[in-house]
Amino acid sequence: MAPQAQPHQPGPVLEVRGLKTHFKLDDGLLRAVDGVTFSVARGQTLAVIGESGCGKSVMARSILRLVKKPGFIAGGEILLHLGDSTVDVAQLRPNSVGLRDVRGQHVSMVFQEPMTSLSPVHTVGDQIAEVVRVHRTRDRRAALEVARDTLAKVGMPDPARALRAYPHELSGGLRQRAMIAMALAARPALLIADEPTTALDVTVQWQILRLLQGLQAELGMAMLYITHDLGVVAQIADAVAVMYLGRVVEYGSVYDVFENPLHPYTRGLMKSMPALGHRGEHLEAIRGNVPVPINLPRECPFRSRCDFAFEPCGELPALLEVEQGHATRCFLHHREVEHA
Ligand SMILES: Nc1ncnc2c1ncn2[C@@H]1O[C@H](COP(=O)(O)OP(=O)(O)OP(=O)(O)O)[C@@H](O)[C@H]1O
């Protein structure tokens, strides 16, 4: 696919700085996201990878302020750069017009389970048209037309029929397309995708990925794409953030992270995660489990599972750039930086 021409404003559409999202539980404070920093460039795709329980979903939901109590944003900034203005989503009030504008108009989200965002009691057409009416045109007929065009864009075989269908009348793959159509109807600057293809069979997964790439190029939209699948990362991402226990432990271009993974956790993930189309191959699990992030000692969080742990790992490493654009939170590489 031809690369997307860079839109007029260069630079990031989203900058997350030191984001912390915690849950107040009876057992203590659960630090699901604990100081995450990354950015997503305009029109580009950042893939977020990491084992189950590392905080990917909570981080993604925090960007749209969808985390419910006992969860709360404990600190940090979620800077959305929109044309000439910048909004810190972390500072918006829960029911404010500003937050409503961010959701749907500027940032949309698609999930693994389409019924998370589709209502079972309204037709697909009415649901997409409602998004269009809130954000683009008040006219009902015009909104339905935009809805039909959007359904055609996402590859719905019979868009006119899909407009009148209720979500349960569609197959899993078509429901996924309907959810994507709803997410795209407002033409967001950023689409957050939380494993949207995991439940689908491989052929449909590829179709949806191609579709997202095509739409991204056409609309100049950026994507934050959460996945467990390295084949998907290789296919769609420009940059990769590896998350472990609520923090980014490695960040870089997809080429750098795949060719030269720096953090022992990233290397372990590469050996343990399936690549698309290679489901049968032998995979090595990383030893141990992701701990629950309550009352963890202040040391490298991967220390207990790491084959390379040494004395400095009793401290918490910072996320440092060790090559241009390639950062890691690991003392193995920080020593190289210090001695360079
Ligand atoms: N509503 C909640 N209440 C309490 N703890 C929660 C809640 N949601 C998530 N957590 C905890 O926050 C941590 C991060 O969870 P999260 O769902 O973000 O992980 P993930 O990396 O997205 O995993 P997966 O790949 O399975 O979706 C986990 O320890 C999880 O148990």
Side-chain angles (χ1 to χ4, degrees):
M1 185 160 304
Q4 156 74 16
Q6 282 302 305
H8 24 282
Q9 298 120 326
V13 64
L14 174 71
E15 271 183 279
V16 173
R17 292 190 193 151
L19 176 66
K20 295 185 179 188
T21 307
H22 298 165
F23 291 85
K24 255 188 207 139
L25 304 180
D26 292 344
D27 301 351
L29 193 64
L30 186 148
R31 299 168 190 266
V33 174
D34 206 26
V36 160
T37 296
F38 65 85
S39 59
V40 185
R42 228 165 262 280
Q44 298 218 324
T45 298
L46 173 74
V48 181
I49 58 172
E51 290 164 291
S52 230
C54 282
K56 306 179 300 294
S57 295
V58 172
M59 179 275 288
R61 296 172 69 86
S62 300
I63 294 169
L64 279 175
R65 300 281 301 275
L66 294 172
V67 176
K68 301 222 167 68
K69 278 186 182 165
F72 64 101
I73 293 188
E77 295 171 314
I78 303 168
L79 303 176
L80 206 51
H81 301 292
L82 304 162
D84 296 338
S85 64
T86 294
V87 181
D88 183 355
V89 182
Q91 296 298 330
L92 295 176
R93 291 184 163 276
N95 294 316
S96 61
V97 174
L99 187 55
R100 197 203 64 193
D101 285 349
V102 166
R103 291 177 183 158
Q105 184 174 3
H106 301 303
V107 183
S108 298
M109 188 156 176
V110 289
F111 304 87
Q112 181 175 337
E113 172 41 65
M115 294 315 285
T116 313
S117 41
L118 293 172
S119 153
V121 295
H122 296 102
T123 62
V124 166
D126 281 347
Q127 293 183 59
I128 301 174
E130 184 56 25
V131 175
V132 178
R133 263 150 57 94
V134 170
H135 298 295
R136 285 169 63 187
T137 165
R138 297 239 160 255
D139 182 73
R140 190 182 136 77
R141 190 173 295 201
L144 273 171
E145 248 165 60
V146 176
R148 199 187 49 221
D149 289 350
T150 313
L151 283 168
K153 244 190 189 83
V154 301
M156 194 62 91
D158 185 348
R161 198 166 145 250
L163 271 188
R164 296 189 302 272
Y166 288 89
H168 71 266
E169 294 173 325
L170 302 174
S171 69
L174 293 190
R175 238 185 334 232
Q176 205 73 4
R177 285 171 199 258
M179 174 177 61
I180 293 172
M182 193 159 101
L184 297 179
R187 304 265 167 128
L190 173 69
L191 180 72
I192 301 176
D194 191 353
E195 305 201 50
T197 64
T198 309
L200 305 172
D201 73 52
V202 174
T203 318
V204 182
Q205 275 195 41
W206 276 113
Q207 286 171 355
I208 302 242
L209 282 178
R210 289 228 179 81
L211 173 81
L212 283 173
Q213 277 185 303
L215 292 167
Q216 180 179 33
E218 189 185 329
L219 305 176
M221 169 181 84
M223 279 205 280
L224 178 71
Y225 199 103
I226 297 172
T227 181
H228 277 109
D229 197 322
L230 295 178
V232 171
V233 178
Q235 167 82 19
I236 61 158
D238 299 288
V240 183
V242 182
M243 267 186 85
Y244 187 67
L245 275 182
R247 296 194 176 94
V248 173
V249 298
E250 183 155 355
Y251 181 80
S253 72
V254 71
Y255 181 83
D256 285 346
V257 174
F258 273 52
E259 281 298 305
N260 183 24
L262 297 173
H263 200 287
Y265 182 61
T266 312
R267 291 191 213 151
L269 273 186
M270 301 261 167
K271 289 188 192 149
S272 72
M273 288 173 125
L276 205 68
H278 295 87
R279 303 233 168 245
E281 75 189 23
H282 176 70
L283 297 171
E284 265 176 60
I286 303 174
R287 70 180 160 84
N289 296 310
V290 179
V292 177
I294 300 180
N295 293 329
L296 291 180
R298 199 172 162 77
E299 60 179 15
C300 170
F302 192 56
R303 187 184 189 186
S304 61
R305 303 176 71 191
C306 184
D307 293 334
F308 303 92
F310 62 138
E311 188 241 318
C313 309
E315 300 286 319
L316 181 69
L319 182 68
L320 290 187
E321 197 173 69
V322 296
E323 299 163 359
Q324 203 187 356
H326 192 176
T328 188
R329 255 181 206 280
C330 178
F331 288 117
L332 286 173
H333 301 282
H334 291 184
R335 283 155 61 95
E336 284 168 24
V337 174
E338 280 156 20
H339 298 151

